[in-house]
């Protein structure tokens, strides 16, 4: 009888494992950086080119490996971290399966340079060793991964754009850096250093990565930072949890934090937090998911209670949780929300500023009527187009963080858009099929973004897009908003024409008004009709 069952060759096993461990550049970076941490590194340098598909390099100054370990570490289930099942109970290192390096090597060209005093260089292609030789290197390890997924075309095809992969890698490096302030990290993307943090304290590190935080949570085994209620967002993107320093996603803990905020935040908002839970390894099972992102707690209720208490406590004893506490009062109007240049934010009632030399008279349809020396008639839609055009083109640093990040579903193939929008100063990122917008330039309101986006996909030339978009929005401006547009227009490089060259405003002189009602020169014309004959 023919033998039907056969053992799979190692390279096939490794590739299958690679499907689990190495989904994309970000997961590779995560494995390599965690190895560096396990090796006791004090400085970890990450570099990627073309989102990691061309190159991923992770360099550390950890303990390094001698020639034998260097060769061994690329084999599946090679690990220096556990020897037996018992060791799993007392795990203090990040990795323990001994399959990451083998899996990564199996789907790439991998170069390992490592030294524990004796330096070795190993080159593999698709997991096959091509070169082993002594080399020069200080103590530590460098791993370079090139031609990622070159032998797994299906996976290669489904990789995201370089921009999207780069963003994910950045998130991974930031997340790990948050939990390891005693280690210096840097990240270089496409030759540009995008992230560089020296050794620091926990608080400093959080501030470096998330900006300043209001409250520190302090409790026996729980510590961390929570954002002000007003900084709560509509996604989980600012929620970080580390359990014994591993980045973990736990709906339970997220919910407990939320409870701790009580009535301070809206029902559907996600508070910002960075929490570090230190708990005994026996009371938590981290081996649930191959990527070690999820956990099971032995006593879920206890964890929930302690987290909630810690967060509540952070707000201080003076707080009365029995009645709702409103957070930052809502903006005066939707206009103020995304158009909030500082001068406007402090204005309580939007009164007209009389020191301004133009006296606003009225808004009529899409037009603003002002009095200067003569009358001025402003086409507000054209003014808006000009202002938006200039802010997209010349003022890329001025995007304003949205109180609620905006989510837009996008179609497959639209991933490049993240980079294009980024180039306009619109801060966004991609989460699967959802484009999350974090910050928009002034004069592009969150509510109108979907319309802008649709126009952008069609046009892509910002002259056309802004002009078409402003017409499409057809906003009816109240007088004070119209005045703000007019004043902002005065700061534009070109305040006379919209991006397509149409005039934005005209001055109307008394004689011209006269002509309209048949005085002055107009007499002649009217006389043709015989009225003044
Ligand atoms: P694991 O981390 O689960 O043990 P890996 O495949 O990620 O498995 O790594 C295999 C082994 O290679 C590790 O156990 C460690 O001994 C060694 N190793 C990997 N990366 C490094 C590094 N940066 N510095 C020192 N040793 C390393
Ligand atoms: Mg590992």
């Amino acid at each position: 009888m023919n033998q039907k069952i056969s053992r799979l060759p190692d390279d096939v096993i490794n590739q299958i494992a690679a499907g689990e461990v190495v989904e994309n550049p970000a997961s590779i970076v995560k494995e390599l950086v965690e190895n560096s941490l396990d090796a006791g590194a004090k400085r970890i340098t990450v570099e990627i080119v073309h989102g990691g598909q061309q190159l991923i390099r992770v360099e550390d100054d950890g303990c390094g490996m001698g020639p034998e370990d260097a060769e061994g570490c690329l084999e599946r289930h090679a690990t220096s971290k556990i020897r037996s099942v018992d060791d799993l109970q007392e795990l203090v290192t990040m990795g323990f399966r001994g399959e990451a390096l083998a899996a990564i090597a199996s789907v790439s060209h991998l170069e390992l340079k490592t030294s524990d005093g004796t330096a070795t260089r190993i080159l593999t292609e698709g997991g096959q060793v091509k070169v082993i030789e002594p080399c020069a290197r200080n103590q530590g390890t460098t791993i370079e991964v090139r031609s990622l997924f070159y032998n797994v075309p299906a996976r290669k095809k489904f990789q995201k754009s370089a921009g999207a992969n780069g963003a994910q890698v950045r998130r991974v490096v930031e997340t790990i850096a948050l939990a390891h302030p005693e280690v210096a990290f840097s990240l270089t993307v496409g030759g540009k250093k995008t992230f560089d943090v020296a050794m620091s304290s926990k608080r400093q590190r959080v501030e470096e990565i998330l900006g300043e935080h209001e409250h520190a949570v302090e409790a026996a085994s729980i510590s961390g930072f929570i954002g002000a209620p007003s900084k709560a967002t509509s996604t989980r993107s600012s929620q970080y949890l580390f359990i014994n320093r591993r980045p973990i996603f736990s709906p339970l803990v997220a919910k407990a934090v939320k409870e701790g905020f009580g009535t301070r935040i809206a029902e559907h908002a996600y508070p910002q937090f960075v929490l570090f839970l230190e708990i005994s390894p026996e009371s938590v099972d981290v081996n649930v998911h191959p990527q070690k992102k999820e956990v099971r707690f032995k006593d879920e209720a206890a964890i929930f209670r302690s987290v909630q208490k810690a967060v509540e406590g952070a707000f201080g004893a003076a707080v009365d949780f029995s009645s709702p506490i409103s957070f930052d009062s809502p903006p005066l109007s939707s206009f103020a929300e995304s158009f909030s240049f500082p001068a406007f934010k402090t204005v309580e009632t939007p009164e007209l500023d009389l020191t301004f030399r133009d006296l606003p008279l009225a808004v009529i349809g899409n037009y603003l009527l002002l009095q200067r020396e003569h009358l001025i008639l402003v086409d507000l839609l054209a003014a808006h187009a000009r202002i938006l055009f200039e802010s997209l083109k010349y003022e890329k640093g001025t995007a304003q963080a949205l109180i609620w990040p905006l989510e837009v579903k996008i179609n497959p193939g639209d991933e490049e858009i993240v980079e294009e929008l980024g180039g306009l100063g619109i801060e966004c990122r991609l989460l699967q099929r959802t484009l999350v917008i974090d910050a928009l330039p002034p004069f592009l309101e969150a509510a109108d973004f979907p319309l802008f986006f649709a126009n952008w996909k069609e046009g892509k030339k910002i002259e056309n897009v802004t002009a078409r978009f402003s017409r499409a929005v057809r906003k009816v401006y109240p007088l004070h908003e119209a005045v703000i547009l007019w004043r902002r227009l005065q700061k534009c490089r070109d305040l006379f024409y919209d991006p397509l060259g149409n005039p934005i405003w005209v001055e109307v002189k008394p004689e011209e008004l006269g002509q309209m009602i048949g005085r002055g020169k107009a007499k002649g014309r009217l006389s043709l009709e015989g009225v003044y004959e």
Side-chain angles (χ1 to χ4, degrees):
M1 204 172 96
N2 284 341
Q3 196 184 2
K4 286 200 183 129
I5 297 176
S6 65
R7 199 186 131 78
L8 290 169
D10 273 350
D11 54 346
V12 177
I13 295 176
N14 285 339
Q15 276 195 21
I16 294 171
E20 260 183 27
V21 186
V22 285
E23 277 176 296
N24 52 32
S27 54
I28 293 177
V29 167
K30 175 174 176 292
E31 292 293 337
L32 296 179
V33 172
E34 287 187 347
N35 280 347
S36 297
L37 289 169
D38 286 345
K42 285 282 152 245
R43 159 135 223 120
I44 300 175
T45 310
V46 181
E47 176 166 4
I48 60 169
V49 176
H50 195 74
Q53 273 171 282
Q54 202 172 316
L55 171 71
I56 298 171
R57 179 192 296 121
V58 174
E59 199 171 331
D60 69 54
D61 58 357
C63 62
M65 289 175 271
E68 247 177 58
D69 282 346
E71 209 175 323
C73 76
L74 296 169
E75 281 164 29
R76 190 161 152 83
H77 299 308
T79 178
S80 57
K81 296 166 195 171
I82 50 170
R83 294 267 177 270
S84 71
V85 175
D86 288 345
D87 290 348
L88 267 176
Q89 294 296 318
E90 287 142 36
L91 215 57
V92 289
T93 51
M94 300 279 170
F96 51 85
R97 292 156 174 275
E99 57 189 13
L101 283 185
I104 296 165
S106 75
V107 293
S108 67
H109 293 183
L110 182 146
E111 184 188 50
L112 166 70
K113 276 192 202 159
T114 186
S115 168
D116 65 348
T118 314
T120 311
R121 171 174 177 266
I122 299 182
L123 210 62
T124 64
E125 284 175 18
Q128 306 293 318
V129 176
K130 297 286 172 191
V131 177
I132 304 188
E133 60 188 18
C135 70
R137 198 205 185 286
N138 292 338
Q139 183 180 321
T141 303
T142 306
I143 291 181
E144 282 189 9
V145 178
R146 293 178 194 273
S147 312
L148 184 58
F149 301 129
Y150 78 101
N151 53 353
V152 200
R155 186 158 289 256
K156 189 164 179 191
K157 212 165 119 194
F158 286 105
Q159 285 303 299
K160 297 189 173 135
S161 71
N165 276 330
Q168 274 189 328
V169 167
R170 187 180 164 120
R171 169 91 185 180
V172 162
V173 175
E174 282 180 353
T175 304
I176 296 177
L178 272 173
H180 297 272
E182 78 288 1
V183 179
F185 288 89
S186 76
L187 171 65
T188 302
V189 177
K192 240 178 75 191
K193 199 168 260 189
T194 61
F195 181 73
D196 192 13
V197 288
M199 290 166 78
S200 58
S201 70
K202 233 178 217 181
R203 173 179 275 276
Q204 265 178 322
R205 181 62 57 89
V206 168
E207 287 180 0
E208 277 164 347
I209 294 174
L210 286 187
E212 285 199 13
H213 276 65
E214 304 259 307
H215 310 277
V217 185
E218 224 86 71
S221 57
I222 301 167
S223 63
F225 303 84
I226 53 179
S230 60
K231 287 195 176 162
T233 62
S234 64
T235 66
R236 293 183 192 280
S237 61
S238 296
Q239 301 192 334
Y240 297 85
L241 168 66
F242 300 92
I243 296 179
N244 299 340
R245 293 186 152 209
R246 290 202 184 103
I248 300 278
F249 171 68
S250 161
L252 177 90
V253 171
K255 188 144 183 284
V257 173
K258 176 108 199 239
E259 291 284 303
F261 270 74
T263 47
R264 287 153 192 282
I265 54 171
E267 204 180 324
H268 299 293
Y270 295 98
Q272 290 189 326
F273 66 79
V274 180
L275 280 195
F276 304 95
L277 255 67
E278 303 293 331
I279 45 184
S280 68
E282 307 92 71
S283 58
V284 57
D285 180 5
V286 286
N287 204 4
V288 178
H289 185 273
Q291 284 187 293
K292 299 164 268 178
K293 278 187 214 139
E294 289 175 20
V295 280
R296 224 172 263 148
F297 299 104
K298 294 255 158 68
D299 186 350
E300 299 204 326
I303 296 283
F304 190 92
R305 261 196 326 271
S306 343
V307 171
Q308 183 189 346
K309 278 250 153 61
V311 174
E312 271 173 13
F315 284 109
V319 169
D320 174 17
F321 280 95
S322 59
S323 62
I325 298 162
S326 68
F327 56 106
D328 279 2
S329 53
L332 289 171
S333 68
S334 61
F335 195 81
E337 185 176 323
S338 51
F339 286 43
S340 55
F341 37 89
F344 192 68
K345 263 210 160 160
T346 53
V347 174
E348 292 274 311
T349 36
E351 266 171 323
L352 304 171
D353 177 357
L354 294 176
T355 61
F356 190 49
R357 65 184 174 134
D358 301 321
L359 179 65
L361 299 176
V363 170
I364 309 150
N366 298 316
Y367 298 92
L368 166 67
L369 193 61
L370 297 151
Q371 185 184 354
R372 190 179 276 179
E373 205 176 321
H374 308 302
L375 280 180
I376 293 177
L377 192 64
V378 187
D379 178 343
L380 293 167
L381 304 183
H384 183 209
R386 162 56 58 187
I387 294 165
L388 187 58
F389 170 77
E390 295 208 357
S391 73
L392 293 173
K393 192 155 178 164
Y394 307 121
E395 296 151 28
K396 297 194 172 124
T398 59
Q400 318 225 345
L402 298 177
I403 296 173
W404 313 106
L406 188 74
E407 298 188 356
V408 183
K409 286 262 170 286
I410 64 163
N411 301 321
D414 281 351
E415 290 86 354
E416 302 295 337
I417 285 172
V418 179
E419 270 169 279
E420 292 172 2
L421 292 176
L424 294 177
I426 295 174
E427 286 172 28
C428 57
R429 59 209 144 91
L430 206 56
L431 290 176
Q432 272 110 33
R433 297 259 76 82
T434 305
L435 184 65
V436 182
I437 315 290
D438 293 308
L440 287 174
F443 296 91
L444 180 51
E445 283 193 61
D448 297 331
F449 182 80
L451 189 61
F452 176 84
F453 187 61
N455 273 293
W456 173 256
K457 283 207 298 190
E458 266 175 45
K460 300 214 172 173
K461 210 164 160 245
I462 47 177
E463 284 84 350
N464 294 326
V465 174
T466 47
R468 232 179 328 131
F469 164 72
S470 305
R471 297 273 148 206
V473 173
R474 287 224 142 258
K475 191 174 155 65
V476 180
Y477 293 94
L479 184 59
H480 67 275
E481 292 183 8
V483 171
I484 287 171
L485 270 186
W486 172 246
R487 295 178 68 168
R488 176 63 187 79
L489 181 70
Q490 308 310 305
K491 298 200 182 113
C492 282
R493 297 183 181 201
D494 177 346
L495 46 135
F496 299 104
Y497 297 99
D498 81 358
L500 294 179
N502 303 304
I504 298 173
W505 53 278
V506 289
E507 207 167 9
V508 191
K509 297 184 179 139
E511 308 89 83
E512 288 163 327
L513 286 172
Q515 287 170 21
M516 284 182 191
I517 50 172
R519 305 292 182 272
K521 281 189 210 148
K523 224 173 162 184
R525 183 168 62 85
L526 285 171
S527 71
L528 287 176
E529 297 178 27
V531 180
Y532 290 104
E533 211 47 82

